[in-house]
Amino acid sequence: MSKTPASPLELVLITGMSGSGKSVALRALEDVGYYCVDNLPPELLLDFVALERQVAAKQVAIAMDVRSAISLPLVPAQLRSLREQGVAVRSLFLDSTTETLVRRFSETRRRHPLSGRREAAKGVPPTDERHALVDAIELERELLADLREEAHVIDSSVIRPAQLQAHLKSLLSAPTSQLTLVFESFAFKRGIPVDADYVFDVRMLPNPHYEPELRELTGRDAPVIAYLEARADVARMRNHIQSFLDQWLEPLARDHRSYVTVAIGCTGGQHRSVYLVEQLAAAFGSRWTTLRRHRELERG
């Protein structure tokens, strides 16, 4: 009988849409010491983990994708079984908007792994190349829907590979035993993050952009902070968001959620949303593990 490892194995499962950055994610985990396996068939997951536990492995990352579509429905039950065995499981799902995925496949001229699958099933030829690609992407969404539901979703639509790697490393540095709050600022003009659990629109608040001396600053700079803190509407918005989260974070934690992403958006993702993310992360940091993301600031 094999000896039980002194500390639990940490398993990170990376799934997601083709073209969303799974290879980038796997490289990031390899950089920080995970033993990484790409495209492991789901049928082998339990045996593979058992083998890694026998050799007292500490950190393992596995990527699975739609090429294993037939057996992917096995995965949610397998993950529950591994958790019951004491394995610290983190499930991450990389996603991007359909438009972003179409652009990436067009730029790289790669073929989507499901190209032609839906047309073949219907017995009709694709009408054109773009339509066929969109069909393949939407079919992939359907096939991966259950895995997405069980995972923490990361939106890679408008971030660079280096940003994705940094965000993954931040997520994995958080303890697995408690809920982690991810506060994310964004610009509505670049689209709502697809990984958000809650979205708050703060575009109705006074905008520092229209003050020439504040325009080039951000919500982390003292003059912008002073400007926003002098506005009663801003304080009321902050209190309303904080009150909402105070009400529901404990039930979410009891539901065994590992991560909750709270996205706060303004027009440019530079002033109001950044300020509120910083304030809320500071307010909740004493009670919960909190991470900050500033999508537009990190872009450039």
Side-chain angles (χ1 to χ4, degrees):
M1 186 172 181
S2 61
K3 184 185 293 185
T4 302
S7 59
L9 171 67
E10 182 181 346
L11 170 67
V12 178
L13 176 67
I14 299 174
T15 59
M17 300 295 292
S18 301
S20 62
K22 295 189 298 299
S23 296
V24 172
L26 211 59
R27 286 198 298 272
L29 270 63
E30 196 168 35
D31 287 345
V32 294
Y34 283 78
Y35 174 59
C36 298
V37 179
D38 193 10
N39 196 29
L40 182 78
E43 297 92 336
L44 301 180
L45 176 59
L46 295 181
D47 288 341
F48 173 77
V49 171
L51 178 61
E52 292 303 303
R53 297 184 81 189
Q54 285 180 14
V55 298
K58 295 294 187 290
Q59 294 178 311
V60 175
I62 296 170
M64 293 181 182
D65 59 39
V66 78
R67 288 173 290 180
S68 301
I70 293 175
S71 50
L72 282 176
L74 300 171
V75 175
Q78 290 175 327
L79 295 183
R80 287 192 290 272
S81 173
L82 290 172
R83 289 188 177 102
E84 291 168 359
Q85 297 172 34
V87 178
V89 178
R90 300 185 195 234
S91 184
L92 305 177
F93 188 99
L94 298 182
D95 203 352
S96 292
T97 64
T98 296
E99 189 60 36
T100 298
L101 296 174
V102 168
R103 187 185 71 249
R104 289 176 182 170
F105 274 101
S106 299
E107 289 173 351
T108 61
R109 301 209 173 265
R110 288 173 50 213
R111 181 177 174 82
H112 191 281
L114 298 181
S115 289
R117 182 83 62 89
R118 176 164 290 185
E119 288 75 13
K122 293 178 180 178
V124 295
T127 54
D128 59 63
E129 193 171 321
R130 178 186 168 83
H131 178 74
L133 180 54
V134 170
D135 258 11
I137 291 169
E138 294 310 314
L139 175 58
E140 184 176 27
R141 288 197 192 283
E142 293 174 17
L143 294 171
L144 297 178
D146 288 344
L147 282 178
R148 190 184 194 280
E149 185 68 24
E150 298 274 340
H152 174 62
V153 180
I154 300 173
D155 182 5
S156 65
S157 301
V158 297
I159 61 175
R160 300 184 179 91
Q163 291 175 257
L164 175 58
Q165 290 181 330
H167 180 52
L168 278 165
K169 291 172 184 177
S170 296
L171 282 175
L172 295 174
S173 68
T176 58
S177 58
Q178 63 188 67
L179 181 143
T180 296
L181 270 174
V182 182
F183 289 101
E184 178 176 6
S185 66
F186 72 95
F188 271 95
K189 66 183 181 181
R190 294 190 183 275
I192 297 173
V194 299
D195 55 2
D197 295 295
Y198 300 103
V199 177
F200 294 95
D201 182 352
V202 301
R203 287 175 291 183
M204 76 294 291
L205 299 179
N207 191 352
H209 175 80
Y210 296 111
E211 304 294 329
E213 69 276 15
L214 303 179
R215 184 170 298 169
E216 300 304 318
L217 302 178
T218 78
R220 294 185 294 196
D221 293 316
V224 174
I225 294 171
Y227 172 91
L228 292 171
E229 288 187 343
R231 271 63 184 177
D233 283 352
V234 176
R236 189 158 69 248
M237 175 65 78
R238 182 183 64 220
N239 291 337
H240 284 170
I241 297 173
Q242 188 168 335
S243 176
F244 174 84
L245 294 175
D246 279 333
Q247 179 84 21
W248 293 108
L249 286 179
E250 287 288 355
L252 285 166
R254 289 197 299 270
D255 195 43
H256 306 293
R257 291 287 294 274
S258 297
Y259 303 97
V260 172
T261 299
V262 179
I264 301 175
C266 59
T267 306
Q270 179 179 338
H271 297 108
R272 296 163 291 179
S273 61
V274 170
Y275 165 80
L276 285 167
V277 160
E278 291 291 327
Q279 296 298 311
L280 290 165
F284 285 94
S286 61
R287 290 170 289 161
W288 305 91
T289 301
T290 58
L291 300 175
R292 299 166 171 86
R293 288 185 72 189
H294 297 298
R295 191 180 75 178
E296 317 311 336
L297 300 188
E298 292 167 6
R299 280 173 54 83

